[in-house]
Structure formats: structure tokens, C-alpha cells
Amino acid sequence: MNFSTLWSSLPFRLGVRLGLERADTEGLFSEFSGAVFSKHFYDPDTGRNFIGKGNLGFPTNANLGTTAKDSGQLYMDQAVALAKPIVSKLNNAELVSDSEYYSCGEKLGLALHYETDLVQPMHAANFGNYFGGNFFFLLNPFDFRHSDYEEIVDQLTDAGYLDNTALNNDYNTI
């Protein structure tokens, strides 16, 4: 069995889409945002987010997912845990419920959101919507450079900008 088997389920794909979006739409101080969305940031040089928090190599859990790297790993672990019984059922020709597919997909979507945050230039450089400082009380509510960048990427993707991008299925070259 491979990933395409899970991906062929519409509830799984809907869950992935929801997870990708939900991480940014739940609001401040939600499970996904942390303090002013600090969980979406990770500076590879310091191992911390823009308010100075980071697990610094400690295992992730619900209380320690403080950077994009930690949060991505946390939700990926949850997605894998939910995928294992699905794979077992499919291997035994048992039915898998839509809610099982959906829950697994949602966790994967959350994981993917945080993992893609690792390569978002402003997330990896700890650049929030603020001027001149590096702490949340200096946030500027009228500075939209960060959110505009993400919105433009979403618009280009939705418009099909990546539709003709060749997929690399040769995992030996990665």
C-alpha cells in the first residue's frame, strides 16, 4: 500500500485541506497559534521562534509544540498514529469510515502547514508583522507584508500556477 490509497479517499483529502487552512484561521492563542502565531515560526540558527521559545531538542508533546518544526512533528506523529489502523483495515479488506479518513487527513494537513512554514521566508527568518522589534507587543496591525505573501501564494496555487509542475517520483535523487 502507498500514500495514493489514502489520497484516493475524498474525506481524507478534505481533512488535509481543512488542516492546512485551520492552522491559520483558528485565531490568536488557539491550539494552533500559540502566542501571536509564534508556533508557526522557527529560526534554524537558534532553534526558537520569534518570541524566543523553542524546545531545543526536547521531545514534542502537546505542551511543548512551540515552533513550526516542533508543531509539524507533533501533528505528523498524530497523523501516522491515525493512519496505522486505517492501513491495517485496508490490508484486511475491512471498511474504513469517512471520519477515520477525515481525522487522519486533518492531522496530516496540520503537519504539512507547519512544515511548509519552515520554508516560508518570513517564518524561517522570524519576521512577524512588526517593525523594529522582536517581541509580540511591537506588532503592527497595519503591516500586511507577512499575510499578503501567504495570500498571494495561495492565490497562485488556486489559480493553477503549479499545475504543470513535474512531480519527482524518483526518491533516490532526493
Side-chain angles (χ1 to χ4, degrees):
M1 171 171 322
N2 59 35
F3 179 75
S4 64
T5 304
L6 291 173
W7 191 251
S8 66
S9 163
L10 178 60
F12 180 82
R13 292 192 312 271
L14 291 173
V16 170
R17 179 67 185 224
L18 175 77
L20 282 164
E21 293 173 355
R22 189 171 169 211
D24 273 347
T25 59
E26 289 286 318
L28 292 178
F29 299 102
S30 73
E31 168 190 354
F32 310 114
S33 68
V36 292
F37 292 93
S38 58
K39 288 183 175 187
H40 296 253
F41 291 79
Y42 175 76
D43 183 338
D45 295 324
T46 65
R48 296 176 183 270
N49 62 29
F50 74 93
I51 62 171
K53 301 291 184 187
N55 289 353
L56 305 176
F58 294 103
T60 58
N61 66 37
N63 298 318
L64 292 176
T66 57
T67 68
K69 181 181 177 186
D70 301 326
S71 298
Q73 185 62 56
L74 173 73
Y75 289 112
M76 183 59 76
D77 290 346
Q78 292 175 7
V80 169
L82 290 170
K84 287 181 179 181
I86 293 173
V87 170
S88 178
K89 285 183 176 183
L90 292 173
N91 286 338
N92 292 319
E94 298 174 31
L95 290 177
V96 177
S97 73
D98 287 351
S99 65
E100 289 174 290
Y101 278 120
Y102 187 86
S103 295
C104 181
E106 182 184 15
K107 295 299 184 185
L108 178 61
L110 287 164
L112 292 172
H113 179 99
Y114 289 106
E115 295 300 323
T116 58
D117 279 348
L118 294 174
V119 296
Q120 201 277 30
M122 295 174 199
H123 284 265
N126 276 337
F127 177 89
N129 283 342
Y130 58 85
F131 291 113
N134 62 359
F135 203 71
F136 68 90
F137 62 82
L138 298 170
L139 290 173
N140 181 338
F142 303 105
D143 180 3
F144 296 105
R145 291 174 288 175
H146 182 121
S147 57
D148 283 354
Y149 172 88
E150 292 179 343
E151 187 175 324
I152 289 168
V153 170
D154 287 344
Q155 289 172 354
L156 289 171
T157 302
D158 289 344
Y161 184 76
L162 298 175
D163 287 356
N164 294 322
T165 303
L167 296 177
N168 181 356
N169 292 325
D170 182 4
Y171 300 108
N172 294 322
T173 62
I174 297 176

